[in-house]
Amino acid sequence: MAMKTPIIFANWKMNKTIGETKDYLDQFLDQASKYVGKVEIFILVPHTALAMAAFWTENSGVKVGSQNHFWEDFGPYTGEVSAAMVRDCGGRYGMVGHYERRLYFHESLDDFRRKAKAALRNQVIPVICIGESIEERQAAETESVIRKQIGVIFEGFTPSEVEACCLLYEPYWAAGAEKPAAPSEAQKAHWMIRNELRKRFGEGAAQKVKVLYGGSVRKDYVMDFLIQSDIDGVGVGRAGLDPDSFLRIIEAADSVAAD
Ligand code: PGA
């Protein structure tokens, strides 16, 4: 089955010093070069390692990005890092709205909209996370939650801005868990996401926007997700911290793409 180029990324979260980043990339980049062009690969590293990670990955085809940024570009915002600074470091992607940002830092959907806009304004591709909690899932509210999140985050976006985004559907209950969501359940949510975007921004934007699945992805399940019609790739947490384990996921994605 021919399919589009799968997108696979790792989110390192608050892990790895600059030295550990170098060790990882030394082990990873040579092997990863086999898949570049067939699989789109990027790594979201801590801000402290971003400039060096961008330097070491230059010309490798593997991109790097950040896990969070502020919505203003410069100014009196002590302790913050802007999307302009992420771009300046060589970051090409910028995650927005990970559920840990909601959980520990009480960020809101309005914050995520402003951060996504800041990324677009600075030529950083926003990786916007959406997804429902376990309580919302149990109350059969997944669809209404998705509709609300999309409504608030994408308010005031143009269709071409939507197309330039990457979405990560990450149900909170599947992140850091034993097992991922069932691929068929994830597909259903991805379809809802595209359908909501279609209603608001038209067919073109809904087709072109990339929608990835995240939450306990392991190499054994990658194929089951990538064969779903509305899933363009996967985001990986724990399994992306080790270069070999991340490579096995990329290899599995490549084998699906090649089928
Ligand atoms: P996990 O993390 O793959 O370790 O579940 C995913 C995430 O929270 O981004």
Side-chain angles (χ1 to χ4, degrees):
M1 183 188 63
M3 66 171 281
K4 37 200 170 182
T5 307
I7 304 169
I8 310 292
F9 79 86
N11 170 15
W12 284 356
K13 307 192 178 183
M14 198 175 70
N15 292 293
K16 299 198 191 295
T17 60
I18 294 174
E20 288 163 346
T21 300
K22 171 96 172 70
D23 292 345
Y24 184 109
L25 294 175
D26 281 349
Q27 290 179 58
F28 178 75
L29 288 178
D30 194 39
Q31 300 272 339
S33 65
K34 285 193 281 207
Y35 308 109
V36 167
K38 296 185 286 173
V39 179
E40 206 173 310
I41 306 165
F42 63 94
I43 305 175
L44 303 180
V45 306
H47 287 137
T48 46
L50 182 55
M52 288 311 293
F55 177 71
W56 289 319
T57 52
E58 205 176 1
N59 304 321
S60 70
V62 173
K63 306 281 194 304
V64 293
S66 66
Q67 303 163 16
N68 177 43
H69 58 261
F70 191 53
W71 57 73
E72 295 291 348
D73 291 347
F74 299 97
Y77 306 104
T78 302
E80 290 295 324
V81 171
S82 70
M85 291 165 173
V86 167
R87 189 71 183 97
D88 183 50
C89 287
R92 307 291 290 273
Y93 292 84
M95 185 171 255
V96 169
H98 191 278
Y99 91 101
E100 286 154 11
R101 300 297 312 173
R102 304 182 76 168
L103 183 64
Y104 300 119
F105 305 99
H106 313 296
E107 292 186 8
S108 69
L109 298 176
D110 286 312
D111 297 341
F112 302 155
R113 178 180 61 252
R114 291 195 274 182
K115 290 181 175 203
K117 281 274 191 182
L120 290 170
R121 179 167 80 231
N122 287 287
Q123 291 76 53
V124 170
I125 299 171
V127 180
I128 303 169
C129 306
I130 58 175
E132 80 285 3
S133 67
I134 187 70
E135 294 79 15
E136 290 162 337
R137 178 182 184 232
Q138 281 161 352
E141 288 170 359
T142 300
E143 185 160 9
S144 60
V145 167
I146 285 175
R147 208 177 302 132
K148 177 175 174 215
Q149 291 178 345
I150 289 178
V152 178
I153 295 173
F154 289 95
E155 193 194 320
F157 276 52
T158 63
S160 58
E161 284 177 325
V162 173
E163 279 171 26
C165 294
C166 194
L167 269 80
L168 181 72
Y169 170 66
E170 181 162 85
Y172 303 178
W173 47 271
E178 291 261 294
K179 278 186 165 174
S184 57
E185 188 176 345
Q187 160 58 26
K188 228 161 121 189
H190 281 234
W191 183 86
M192 287 174 200
I193 291 167
R194 264 191 226 286
N195 195 40
E196 190 58 26
L197 291 170
R198 181 178 296 115
K199 284 195 257 168
R200 290 170 183 271
F201 301 102
E203 185 64 31
Q207 287 307 324
K208 284 188 197 138
V209 68
K210 304 293 185 224
V211 191
L212 278 49
Y213 168 79
S216 301
V217 171
R218 297 280 179 281
K219 76 170 171 30
D220 301 338
Y221 317 122
V222 175
M223 183 183 277
D224 300 336
F225 285 105
L226 293 181
I227 59 171
Q228 307 294 330
S229 57
D230 286 301
I231 300 185
D232 296 310
V234 293
V236 184
R238 288 157 296 171
L241 286 172
D242 172 75
D244 283 327
S245 125
F246 190 38
L247 280 162
R248 297 293 75 81
I249 288 175
I250 294 165
E251 183 183 50
D254 179 51
S255 70
V256 178
D259 274 352

